[in-house]
Amino acid sequence: GESVGLHLPTLSVQEGDNSIINCAYSNSASDYFIWYKQESGKGPQFIIDIRSNMDKRQGQRVTVLLNKTVKHLSLQIAATQPGDSAVYFCAEKSQGGKLIFGQGTELSVKP
Amino acid sequence: EPEVTQTPSHQVTQMGQEVILRCVPISNHLYFYWYRQILGQKVEFLVSFYNNEISEKSEIFDDQFSVERPDGSNFTLKIRSTKLEDSAMYFCASSPFLGTGEQFFGPGTRLTVL
């Protein structure tokens, strides 16, 4: 079946530390994944994406890692800042274009 | 920077009433989506729309729901007879492509059914 899930519902880190948010997916045929950030009262905001022909992709302070063997995604945020506090969702894009979201991890950054 | 807009930001209605949620996607986008998020839960796909017709819909999107693109800019979601369990945030999204590439989300409409 189709499902994308997250391992931890909450993550608390100190400002300046690195954060790692994990995600598992079940559809081995999936070929495109996105991480979204959702701040309170707002819509999901794109962070970074990765195609299945890649293992790693880096953006500004963020890195996404894809392990197709174990169907696992992770989002790494370097030097986490208070503005990074939000709920983070991984999502899998289906052939038809719809996004299948995971449950979400709430990241809390302590000053 | 272009963005998806949604109105109203908050809609309160009585059970059994009809509501129309409005969205203005980004102007050169071709693919449109509605998602909903019940409080504290994940975002769930409702429907996708392309070339003036529904491309795909979820089990949630039953006969009470409909979508329309009445003109070149608006994209609406209608719920004919609202139920208590329809209370949620409803997000509109649009994208220029079907394949890879992000979907751009609006700020959402919070629907409260009393």
Side-chain angles (χ1 to χ4, degrees):
Chain A
E2 297 176 327
S3 70
V4 180
L6 289 163
H7 293 310
L8 297 173
T10 61
L11 177 65
S12 183
V13 300
Q14 288 292 138
E15 182 178 357
D17 286 352
N18 296 334
S19 302
I20 300 175
I21 300 171
N22 296 303
C23 175
Y25 65 93
S26 61
N27 186 356
S28 56
S30 297
D31 61 2
Y32 182 64
F33 304 89
I34 309 174
W35 279 99
Y36 279 93
K37 172 186 181 183
Q38 187 178 27
E39 295 173 294
S40 181
K42 297 185 179 179
Q45 179 186 3
F46 174 91
I47 302 173
I48 192 167
D49 58 2
I50 189 167
R51 299 184 70 165
S52 61
N53 61 354
M54 303 171 71
D55 297 322
K56 179 179 179 179
R57 189 158 190 230
Q58 287 184 290
Q60 188 177 20
R61 284 200 306 118
V62 294
T63 300
V64 55
L65 299 177
L66 175 62
N67 185 332
K68 292 180 286 294
T69 303
V70 294
K71 292 185 283 188
H72 183 269
L73 273 168
S74 67
L75 176 70
Q76 300 177 1
I77 304 173
T80 315
Q81 302 168 359
D84 295 327
S85 294
V87 177
Y88 290 80
F89 294 93
C90 64
E92 164 192 1
K93 196 170 193 181
S94 73
Q95 294 272 356
K98 73 181 183 189
L99 293 174
I100 303 163
F101 282 84
Q103 199 64 35
T105 291
E106 183 171 8
L107 175 65
S108 175
V109 182
K110 295 179 287 188
Chain B
E1 185 175 332
E3 57 184 17
V4 177
T5 59
Q6 290 185 244
T7 55
S9 57
H10 191 190
Q11 173 92 44
V12 181
T13 190
Q14 295 289 327
M15 188 169 57
Q17 295 296 304
E18 175 182 287
V19 295
I20 297 176
L21 310 183
R22 291 181 166 80
C23 168
V24 179
I26 295 173
S27 64
N28 62 344
H29 286 187
L30 301 176
Y31 298 88
F32 312 112
Y33 307 86
W34 282 102
Y35 294 84
R36 79 170 186 190
Q37 184 179 32
I38 295 171
L39 184 64
Q41 298 186 22
K42 64 183 179 182
V43 177
E44 299 175 288
F45 168 78
L46 290 177
V47 66
S48 57
F49 191 86
Y50 168 71
N51 200 26
N52 284 319
E53 60 183 26
I54 291 173
S55 308
E56 187 175 359
K57 58 184 180 180
S58 72
E59 291 177 353
I60 303 167
F61 194 90
D62 61 23
D63 292 344
Q64 294 299 313
F65 290 86
S66 62
V67 290
E68 195 176 36
R69 189 154 162 82
D71 52 42
S73 60
N74 290 286
F75 180 49
T76 62
L77 174 69
K78 182 194 290 187
I79 309 175
R80 262 181 274 282
S81 177
T82 50
K83 308 185 202 56
L84 295 177
E85 55 264 37
D86 293 328
S87 295
M89 283 289 288
Y90 287 81
F91 295 105
C92 173
S94 70
S95 67
F97 311 111
L98 179 63
T100 58
E102 66 174 293
Q103 290 178 14
F104 294 79
F105 281 78
T109 292
R110 178 172 297 284
L111 176 65
T112 301
V113 182
L114 302 176

